[in-house]
Amino acid sequence: MGKRRKPSPPSRARLAVLTTAVAGGAVLASGTAHAEPAPTLASVKEQVDRLNEEAEQAIERFNGFQEKQQKLQGEANRIQEKVARGQDAMNELRTQLGVVGAEQYRNNGIDPGIQLMLDSDPASYLGRASVQDQVAGSWTSLLKRAQDEQRKLDQERAEAAATLADLDAVGASLNAQKNEIQGKLAQSEALLNKLSAEERAKINAQEAADRAKAAAQQAAAAERAKAADKEAADKAKAAAKETAGKGAAAPQTASPQTATPQSPAANTPAPPAAGGRAAAIVQFAYAQLGKPYGWSKTGPSSFDCSGLTGAAYRAADVSLPRTSQEQWKVGTRIGRGDLQPGDLVFFYPDLHHVGVYIGDGKMIHAPRTGKNIEVLPIGVMPYMGAVRP
């Protein structure tokens, strides 16, 4: 048989070509696998707005849990004080029971009949027996009181334990909401940190444009309402003149009672003159302009939305619940056309945002983390209604 010939190794040139082709394919595959389209400015703004809104929703839940925690803590303290007082009363009763019990033990060791026979002074014995009967009656009365007090004490201890358990559960919910808020705000900040100064300026400019558009829409609506009121008044005057021309007494026409909306001025509406509850509320809100938003803060250096409205109403000696959802339940619902300075205005379907109406279709509100308390047209956010507490 002939010898097999070994295959010849590839040439250096061929090996180089193969190696280059494999490497190039790997790079291409790697580049294809990791290539991601850069987020647009609009998508970043949308994500930031969504995260901030979700954070504010969590903040209002946090505020609700915090208010509940404070109430439960007060209730737990009150019950524990009752338990301490009850324990002191029980200790006193036990001392009295011990004294009466010892007296009974000393006097009841011998049969009463034998004691009477052996006593040298029967009259004295009968007197002591009467006292012993009184002691026995005191024992029975004290024992009944002690049993009643013990039942009451056990009930109060069970109530304290249940309240403390509720307090622990609310504390856990509070921590969960706090973690959620911090997570949302961190995500929002991380997205913004990826933007250049120029891109951030564009986002701010877009927000300003949105606000200006909302203000213009409200101004147009106010002008339409004003024109409609003027047209109605002109028609009433014309009808009165026509009636007077026919010899009938011209009826006096009253000016429309509904307030005519005014076109929003370029600057902030002036606060109302001093006097009255509404003036106190609005003037307090004006005094907070420029202060930073602080989540779960109620002043005096920073506020969240419901913290600001609550503080404004406290300035007028009116107490409001802590959260925007609970503030919605207080007072009288007001139609948009009947808004007056000092009314509370609410936004978003779940009512997680609230501001103080100041007139001319505007409000003062605490917007969100990273922003300051500001004046804003109420048409910028999804308007849900108003309340006059």
Side-chain angles (χ1 to χ4, degrees), residues 61-67 69 169-179:
R61 290 194 296 270
F62 178 92
N63 291 338
F65 281 123
Q66 191 173 56
E67 184 178 40
Q69 184 187 50
V170 168
S173 298
L174 204 60
N175 288 332
Q177 292 303 314
K178 183 177 181 180
N179 291 336

Side-chain angles (χ1 to χ4, degrees), residues 22-105:
V22 171
V27 170
L28 182 60
S30 174
T32 303
H34 292 88
E36 293 180 1
T40 65
L41 202 59
S43 69
V44 170
K45 183 180 183 304
E46 183 181 352
Q47 290 179 67
V48 168
D49 289 344
R50 176 180 54 79
L51 287 167
N52 283 320
E53 185 178 339
E54 290 172 355
E56 190 173 16
Q57 291 170 331
I59 287 167
E60 286 303 295
R61 290 194 296 270
F62 178 92
N63 291 338
F65 281 123
Q66 191 173 56
E67 184 178 40
K68 187 175 181 180
Q69 184 187 50
Q70 291 169 354
K71 289 180 180 178
L72 282 171
Q73 186 63 67
E75 182 70 9
N77 292 342
R78 183 185 65 79
I79 296 172
Q80 287 175 323
E81 288 174 2
K82 283 176 62 179
V83 168
R85 290 194 299 269
Q87 188 62 60
D88 289 343
M90 276 301 303
N91 293 340
E92 178 65 25
L93 281 171
R94 286 187 179 124
T95 300
Q96 294 178 40
L97 283 168
V99 172
V100 174
E103 182 68 21
Q104 277 193 326
Y105 178 78

Side-chain angles (χ1 to χ4, degrees), residues 137-156:
S138 297
W139 168 267
T140 303
S141 175
L142 283 171
L143 188 60
K144 184 177 184 306
R145 279 180 57 196
Q147 290 170 339
D148 291 343
E149 287 294 330
Q150 186 62 56
R151 280 194 294 269
K152 182 179 176 183
L153 186 59
D154 291 342
Q155 182 179 354
E156 287 171 348

Side-chain angles (χ1 to χ4, degrees), residues 11 48 53 70 72 91 97 128 134 209 218 224 245 247 271 273 284 304 322 333 345 363 372:
S11 66
V48 168
E53 185 178 339
Q70 291 169 354
L72 282 171
N91 293 340
L97 283 168
R128 290 197 306 274
Q134 292 176 10
Q218 288 187 181
R224 287 194 297 270
F284 179 91
D304 62 19
R322 177 63 183 91
R333 300 286 168 81
V345 283
M363 67 172 174
N372 296 331

Side-chain angles (χ1 to χ4, degrees), residues 3 7 29 33 108 153 190 223-224 250 268 272 296 299 308 322 334 358 377:
K3 292 183 180 181
N108 292 342
L153 186 59
E223 288 299 328
R224 287 194 297 270
T268 301
S296 196
L308 175 64
R322 177 63 183 91
I334 303 298
I358 58 172

Side-chain angles (χ1 to χ4, degrees), residues 5-24:
R5 297 180 60 186
K6 293 181 181 179
S8 60
S11 66
R12 288 186 179 181
R14 183 181 175 196
L15 188 59
V17 170
L18 289 172
T19 303
T20 304
V22 171

Side-chain angles (χ1 to χ4, degrees), residues 179-256:
N179 291 336
E180 181 180 352
I181 292 163
Q182 291 174 333
K184 300 288 185 187
L185 295 178
Q187 289 180 61
S188 174
E189 188 64 24
L191 284 169
L192 290 174
N193 286 339
K194 292 179 180 179
L195 300 179
S196 65
E198 182 182 357
E199 288 172 326
R200 285 199 183 200
K202 286 181 180 179
I203 285 181
N204 292 334
Q206 182 60 53
E207 288 181 351
D210 291 342
R211 293 178 182 184
K213 181 179 178 181
Q217 290 173 342
Q218 288 187 181
E223 288 299 328
R224 287 194 297 270
K226 184 177 180 180
D229 286 345
K230 185 177 183 302
E231 183 180 357
D234 290 343
K235 286 182 178 179
K237 287 179 181 179
K241 286 181 180 179
E242 183 179 353
T243 303
K246 293 179 179 179
Q252 294 184 352
T253 58
S255 59

